[in-house]
Amino acid sequence: MQNIEDTRKDLLARIEASDSPRDLLKGPELKQLFDVIKTLAPEERGAYGKQVNELRIALESAISDRESGVEDKAVEPIDVTAPWDVNASNIGLLPTQQGTQHPLTLELENVINIFTRMGFDAIESRQIDDDDHMFGTLNFPENHPARDGYDTFRTEEGFIPPAHTSTMQHRILKAGKAQLEAGGQIAAVSYGRVFRNEDVDATHEHTFYQCEGVFVSRDATLGQMLGTLRDFFETYYGQKLKIKTQPAYFPFVEPGLEFAIERPAALGGKDGEWLEMLGCGMIHPNVLQAADIDPAKYRGFAWGGGIERLVMLKYGIEDLRHFESGKLQFLRKFL
Ligand code: PHE
């Protein structure tokens, strides 16, 4: 009679090593254990059956982990005091010569390059800010329910790790006012990490990246904004795209829109699958006014959206959590 513990050890080791671990569930080892049940005295069956069943559940969970790559193979223990030649390393770490920037850093650079080639300045967003920049200057009235939509963290002192890169809008407008009044225009993108108090799943993270655009001139139009965005997306994905917009509410723009692209066939799309990529609109007069820019003389547009979503579509990444996982299996694909 096969001992349950021996089978457990044997199968767990083989699950780790196998390329198709799920087949092991159908193999003779588990079946033999189940077959034993009918040979036992009725009063022994319950306890034994329970143990075998628990084993089966544990194996299934190990198989799922293996399949989803949750657990990397165990690495050899490291003697941290031993002299170590990084290139001779066989412990599964990356030798420094082959290391690279994080895929999000690389892609963010790519995004910023496209906008700077169009003539936008690029400004890094803050990782800690205040209520006035996150909400007040963006035309969110005190206690307005739209504030709740941003699930903001707050420090004990009342500071906010910003929940969107729009937190830079007021600064961009104030800094650009003189240039605007000298006959120029304001054209800037702000980019960086943003934070929301959200449960993490395949499409939500508490920490992610956004890129935001702000443009102000005497005669900015919605048409210019859509042209700019189309140009950006077509350059980023290297192909012609179908775009559409639908109305959306953000207190700092009027009208406000959601901007969507049709998933290109080259990226696994079927006709009519629309992906919402960002929020945008004409800058609300109150937002211009807060920066002392006269809304009767100047008009602007702004947009903001997540970087992960862009990158996921480009590379067919199905789960947002890969980015922050630090898993080499994932990161190596971007070497
Ligand atoms: N800040 C908005 C968000 O994160 C997006 C947005 C930016 C909408 C600029 C309009 C204009 O949801």
Side-chain angles (χ1 to χ4, degrees):
M1 183 174 111
Q2 259 282 48
N3 173 297
I4 294 183
E5 269 321 295
D6 288 348
T7 308
R8 177 195 304 275
K9 281 195 201 118
D10 173 42
L11 287 181
L12 282 176
R14 284 162 63 190
I15 286 169
E16 277 308 303
S18 166
D19 286 335
S20 49
R22 196 157 287 279
D23 293 346
L24 292 167
L25 281 182
K26 294 186 225 110
E29 299 80 1
L30 209 52
K31 183 163 180 307
Q32 270 165 22
L33 293 182
F34 277 108
D35 285 347
V36 168
I37 297 176
K38 29 184 192 304
T39 70
L40 295 175
E43 65 277 12
E44 290 174 340
R45 286 183 190 168
Y48 181 88
K50 186 158 173 265
Q51 282 185 50
V52 181
N53 216 22
E54 277 166 4
L55 171 61
R56 187 181 53 78
I57 292 168
L59 294 174
E60 271 180 3
S61 138
I63 289 168
S64 309
D65 283 355
R66 182 73 213 291
E67 284 173 346
S68 63
V70 167
E71 291 245 278
D72 266 338
K73 278 203 178 142
V75 295
E76 293 289 313
I78 303 173
D79 173 2
V80 291
T81 61
W84 188 43
D85 172 2
V86 77
N87 294 308
S89 155
N90 62 353
I91 60 167
L93 294 175
L94 287 174
T96 48
Q97 289 87 336
Q98 285 177 28
T100 181
Q101 284 175 302
H102 191 276
L104 283 177
T105 310
L106 294 170
E107 290 299 319
L108 185 57
E109 215 165 89
N110 201 352
V111 168
I112 293 166
N113 282 342
I114 296 172
F115 285 120
T116 52
R117 287 203 297 273
M118 288 184 190
F120 287 88
D121 292 333
I123 296 150
E124 191 170 3
S125 186
R126 298 203 163 194
Q127 296 197 23
I128 196 81
D129 212 342
D130 54 27
D131 193 273
D132 205 36
H133 287 91
M134 172 68 214
F135 293 121
T137 53
L138 291 173
N139 194 39
F140 285 83
E142 289 287 340
N143 300 321
H144 192 282
R147 291 179 176 229
D148 299 339
Y150 287 86
D151 299 312
T152 43
F153 293 108
R154 257 171 218 273
T155 69
E156 282 167 12
E157 300 82 2
F159 290 109
I160 299 177
H164 55 179
T165 41
S166 305
T167 206
M168 297 302 286
Q169 276 199 21
H170 183 65
R171 294 186 181 90
I172 290 171
L173 294 174
K174 271 202 313 203
K177 175 179 150 76
Q179 193 173 331
L180 194 61
E181 289 175 349
Q185 57 199 23
I186 299 174
V189 291
S190 61
Y191 59 91
R193 267 192 189 153
V194 294
F195 310 89
R196 294 190 191 184
N197 190 355
E198 280 191 304
D199 288 341
V200 172
D201 63 23
T203 54
H204 295 89
E205 260 286 5
H206 49 72
T207 302
F208 55 103
Y209 286 80
Q210 278 194 337
C211 182
E212 177 107 2
V214 175
F215 182 87
V216 186
S217 72
R218 285 189 175 276
D219 52 8
T221 66
L222 208 58
Q224 289 172 352
M225 178 182 80
L226 296 179
T228 306
L229 291 175
R230 173 192 285 282
D231 201 19
F232 165 74
F233 281 100
E234 291 187 344
T235 306
Y236 183 76
Y237 290 116
Q239 59 192 292
K240 292 276 168 220
L241 293 170
K242 285 193 195 158
I243 63 170
K244 78 171 180 187
T245 57
Q246 61 185 36
Y249 173 70
F250 304 96
F252 37 99
V253 285
E254 180 56 39
L257 303 171
E258 264 160 17
F259 180 95
I261 63 173
E262 195 177 37
R263 188 198 288 265
L267 299 175
K270 312 178 240 2
D271 274 355
E273 188 189 354
W274 291 95
L275 305 168
E276 188 202 301
M277 300 308 285
L278 48 78
C280 56
M282 299 303 291
I283 299 176
H284 195 287
N286 290 352
V287 175
L288 293 174
Q289 204 122 47
D292 209 15
I293 292 173
D294 184 354
K297 288 197 193 136
Y298 302 101
R299 304 197 301 195
F301 53 81
W303 71 86
I307 296 294
E308 283 84 348
R309 187 178 305 192
L310 273 180
V311 179
M312 285 167 82
L313 173 58
K314 187 169 181 181
Y315 295 103
I317 299 165
E318 78 300 341
D319 195 318
L320 181 58
R321 288 166 291 195
H322 287 312
F323 287 115
E324 301 280 338
S325 70
K327 281 177 65 62
L328 296 179
Q329 215 180 322
F330 174 72
L331 296 174
R332 282 208 182 92
K333 295 206 193 306
F334 297 86
L335 283 179

